[in-house]
Amino acid sequence: MKKIMCIFVMFAVIFSLCTAEHINADENESPLTRLESVHLLSQLLTHTGEGEVFADTDDKTAAYLHKAGIIQGVGDNKFEPDKPMLVQDFLVTLKRVLERECPDLFYNNQKVRWYYDQNDISEYAQSHIRFLSTVDIYDEDGFLEPLSKVTNSSAHKFLAQAGEAIKTAPKSVNGQAFKEKPTILMYHVIDYPQNDNAYLFVTPEDFEKQIKYMYDNGYTFLFPEELSLSDSVSNPVVITFDDGYEQTYTNAYRILKKYNAKATLYIYSDIIGEEGYCNSTQIRQMSDSSVFRIYSHAKTHTDLTQKTPKQIEAEFSESNDKIYNITKREVTSIAYPFGFFNEDVLFQAKRYYKNGFAVNKGRNTMHSITRKTVDGTQGFEDFLKLIR
């Protein structure tokens, strides 16, 4: 017992010394302001442009990053340029810069690292920072101090790691064919059945059990644009949601974040903001989290095979424009309403998207990929058969 206590005390002393050493590392440096941080981060961007200036600064770099969705203002369009930037805010902004500069960078959930002070990271920053750790943007001693003020040396360290990730980290090739077919699952509503269409509903408890099983058993969650990587990762799986029910935000999003899982919401754009469906704020938050991609389910959730080529084109283009204006991310994937497609639909899909998803009767080309429906009436053993 004494031996165990000695080991415990020794570990506690080492832990406290490491913590103290880390806290004091940059104590003589002045913290960077938000504006100084933005200028450092903009060095990673190969292109900039114009944007609407903030009310409290006419800085053009800040204006462009605001327009690009990389930074956000506070009340009355203020940026607070002289306010010190926290480490966690710097990293969240860095993640957004990387999303814009290197959208094909692969964040592998199997390689998430954890910090000794993980619980100090604010909830909104958790997913960004976890995914950044998978491409080695990480504080090597395991202490992030997320609520401390970022300094010049710590900011440059993170920027150097980001630059290295851009050069060397794995990249996806959107639209490239793959040999190892991943498991592709389709959900609708994560909630308790409320009508006769029980198959559309999967309870939050069952959904979490399914995601946890995949998390515990080494599944790699992929976005549609990462399908090319299914040949090189363990147990690839693509999680998709159709239609855009509000429970995707209130229930599924919460569970997915907990397990560093990725998912894609295919929403038909006319329904955005309607009662019972995701609104623009929820869509933007999900898209910005590293957990979700938001892509097209057409404009009106109509049977596209009954439409003329011009009507199909309008369904795609108008949907893409509305979603892009919310997420600031190119819409590169489509899930056909009801899973229905024909040659006219495929022709237009190839013009607008890198890939397209059907349901059970796809052809498994890049624009007619088969998905498996997760049916809320099935038991857990049925789910295991689907993913195996």
Side-chain angles (χ1 to χ4, degrees), residues 36-52:
E36 290 170 333
S37 299
V38 159
H39 275 268
L40 274 180
L41 288 162
S42 69
Q43 294 176 14
L44 289 175
L45 296 172
T46 54
H47 296 92
T48 56
E50 299 294 324
E52 182 183 355

Side-chain angles (χ1 to χ4, degrees), residues 21-31 149-153:
E21 180 181 350
H22 189 77
I23 290 174
N24 295 327
D26 297 331
E27 63 181 2
N28 295 323
E29 288 193 69
S30 299
K149 297 167 185 175
V150 73
T151 63
N152 190 61
S153 61

